[in-house]
Amino acid sequence: MISQYLTFDYFSRSLLDPMFEVFEVLDNNNHPENERLKIDLNTIDKIDLEKYVIKNHIDFHLDRVENKDIGRRAYYFVHKLHKDIARIRIKKLLDINDRPAPYNSSNLGGLFIDKNHLAPIDQFSIDNYGFEKGNLVYTLCPILEQSNSSYWIFIAILKFTKEKKINFKIRLNPFIEIPLNDYQPMFYKMLVHGKPLDWKKLLSLRNDDFGQWFDEKEYNRMGFTDYVWSPKDNEVHFTCEELPKYNFKGIKSSRYFHAIFNKNTGGIKHCDGAIRIYSNNELSNRAKFHVKDAEVRKVGKRIKIFQYESKENMDKEIDQDTFCQLVTNFFVWNDDVQLYF
């Protein structure tokens, strides 16, 4: 099912979050999408609108708004756009075609992608805070519903690509393909860091070292986060997964991170960050186990967002500090992960 809204295609391909873009279009009568947006607002069901306004105290934000009905409809429309964009993006990410969007673009016809639909970053120019090819720019796929959920890992990937010549593989946002002259990315400020990890302890591991954190804040999507360090010969495998609450109303997706620590060199020979999509039944079953348990390995559908493999890059391994920054930026807004690292 695609979106019912006439302006969906426009807003889904915008670099601005709908919370900003919808109101800009609405306030500009000369905007080419203005009339179509007004049509979309008028199609909103009155009963659904009233429930949303009361539940979210929308009138609190409309003290100085002259036309409160339009204001209420605009906020509701932003809410629905967020859900539609996230839902249809996941559908595109699960596309099993050899070249799903945006790789089916004529501009990316010669681009190499692997079996996980990841593209090596060295095929792009990254000088303009995006993935540029042929005067068109692409972005990293969001991890969660929020349009900026992959912003901090995206910035970390750009930084380490430039400074440390690490050739990551990345999953592009299926909606975004923007001419370079029109590319004006959003910038956000937030310090994301954690404490140093005890790497000496990992070297002496004989059995799994694991833990679990629960998020008790009702307004958060996060239910709990599992992690495990699992020793295997001269390696230690790290796996961490953040699962949503079962009653979360959005897409039942987790953030999933995996890495392999080389005990002989002290470096990270592999790491990847992914989304795992669950049905209600799958999420219920997954919650009965820990990420260390074999029962969780084949549950859900995994979509990789980025990956690094040292054997594909002349055995150049990621250092420990870079690894910690990748994990904490991937799990942005997860306070437990930030504190652990």
Side-chain angles (χ1 to χ4, degrees):
M1 177 182 177
I2 60 174
S3 176
Q4 61 182 310
Y5 298 118
L6 298 175
T7 54
F8 173 83
D9 190 61
Y10 172 80
F11 288 116
S12 68
R13 297 178 185 280
S14 173
L15 292 177
L16 281 177
D17 188 272
M19 177 55 72
F20 307 111
E21 184 78 343
V22 166
F23 290 96
E24 285 197 12
V25 173
L26 189 59
D27 291 339
N28 181 2
N29 289 328
N30 295 319
H31 194 285
E33 295 292 327
N34 180 270
E35 288 300 320
R36 286 157 60 88
L37 174 57
K38 290 176 180 176
I39 294 173
D40 282 338
L41 296 183
N42 285 328
T43 65
I44 293 172
D45 182 84
K46 290 183 179 180
I47 296 176
D48 290 343
L49 175 63
E50 190 65 24
K51 290 179 181 178
Y52 172 79
V53 168
I54 294 172
K55 180 180 178 181
N56 295 279
H57 310 287
I58 296 301
D59 284 347
F60 176 79
H61 303 284
L62 302 175
D63 285 346
R64 300 181 182 181
V65 176
E66 184 175 338
N67 191 327
K68 285 186 169 48
D69 180 61
I70 292 295
R72 294 184 186 111
R73 289 175 180 272
Y75 272 101
Y76 178 84
F77 184 65
V78 168
H79 162 74
K80 293 292 288 183
L81 269 180
H82 280 143
K83 289 183 173 294
D84 276 8
I85 290 172
R87 174 178 56 81
I88 297 173
R89 182 171 63 238
I90 291 296
K91 183 178 180 181
K92 289 179 177 290
L93 291 173
L94 291 173
D95 187 345
I96 61 173
N97 288 327
D98 290 340
R99 299 192 74 84
Y103 305 117
N104 56 359
S105 163
S106 59
N107 185 58
L108 298 179
L111 188 82
F112 170 76
I113 56 174
D114 68 11
K115 63 180 182 180
N116 295 308
H117 298 151
L118 299 175
I121 204 171
D122 61 4
Q123 298 179 100
F124 303 91
S125 168
I126 57 173
D127 293 334
N128 294 296
Y129 286 93
F131 304 119
E132 179 188 343
K133 191 172 184 64
N135 288 321
L136 292 174
V137 185
Y138 307 84
T139 62
L140 188 67
C141 184
I143 305 167
L144 302 175
E145 291 88 344
Q146 295 91 332
S147 62
N148 65 338
S149 57
S150 64
Y151 173 79
W152 288 272
I153 187 65
F154 165 65
I155 292 298
I157 286 173
L158 291 182
K159 174 184 176 183
F160 297 135
T161 298
K162 287 184 176 182
E163 294 180 359
K164 302 189 176 185
K165 311 303 180 186
I166 298 174
N167 186 28
F168 294 95
K169 293 193 291 187
I170 44 96
R171 181 67 183 260
L172 299 181
N173 187 335
F175 287 128
I176 301 298
E177 183 181 66
I178 296 176
L180 179 59
N181 291 338
D182 297 331
Y183 184 67
Q184 297 179 335
M186 290 284 286
F187 289 90
Y188 302 88
K189 287 186 177 182
M190 182 171 69
L191 185 62
V192 181
H193 66 88
K195 66 182 182 180
L197 191 66
D198 187 352
W199 293 97
K200 291 182 180 179
K201 177 183 176 182
L202 295 180
L203 287 172
S204 61
L205 274 185
R206 294 294 179 268
N207 300 299
D208 287 354
D209 178 26
F210 56 90
Q212 186 176 71
W213 305 295
F214 287 87
D215 193 314
E216 297 178 349
K217 302 182 184 71
E218 291 185 2
Y219 55 83
N220 277 351
R221 83 186 295 277
M222 291 176 286
F224 64 87
T225 304
D226 288 338
Y227 76 88
V228 61
W229 294 92
S230 182
K232 297 178 182 178
D233 299 326
N234 292 321
E235 301 173 346
V236 182
H237 288 239
F238 171 73
T239 308
C240 184
E241 183 172 22
E242 171 204 276
L243 283 101
K245 294 179 175 68
Y246 180 78
N247 60 357
F248 175 63
K249 300 300 182 184
I251 295 170
K252 300 293 196 300
S253 65
S254 75
R255 291 191 282 188
Y256 184 93
F257 197 102
H258 172 250
I260 301 175
F261 170 50
N262 186 338
K263 293 165 69 173
N264 292 329
T265 64
I268 306 300
K269 60 190 296 184
H270 165 93
C271 73
D272 68 84
I275 303 168
R276 293 181 87 178
I277 310 297
Y278 295 97
S279 67
N280 286 335
N281 287 338
E282 287 173 332
L283 183 60
S284 179
N285 290 331
R286 166 64 181 88
K288 298 175 184 177
F289 300 97
H290 191 279
V291 73
K292 68 179 176 62
D293 299 324
E295 288 85 351
V296 311
R297 292 173 189 165
K298 294 185 179 181
V299 182
K301 297 180 176 65
R302 186 164 60 165
I303 303 166
K304 289 191 178 183
I305 300 299
F306 82 93
Q307 178 177 303
Y308 179 79
E309 195 82 41
S310 64
K311 65 183 180 183
E312 296 177 355
N313 293 274
M314 299 179 291
D315 295 324
K316 178 184 175 69
E317 295 181 341
I318 291 176
D319 62 76
Q320 296 167 4
D321 181 64
T322 298
F323 163 75
C324 289
Q325 292 188 55
L326 289 171
V327 178
T328 52
N329 281 282
F330 185 79
F331 286 105
V332 66
W333 306 318
N334 187 315
D335 294 337
D336 294 311
V337 172
Q338 311 302 320
L339 289 171
Y340 176 73
F341 279 95

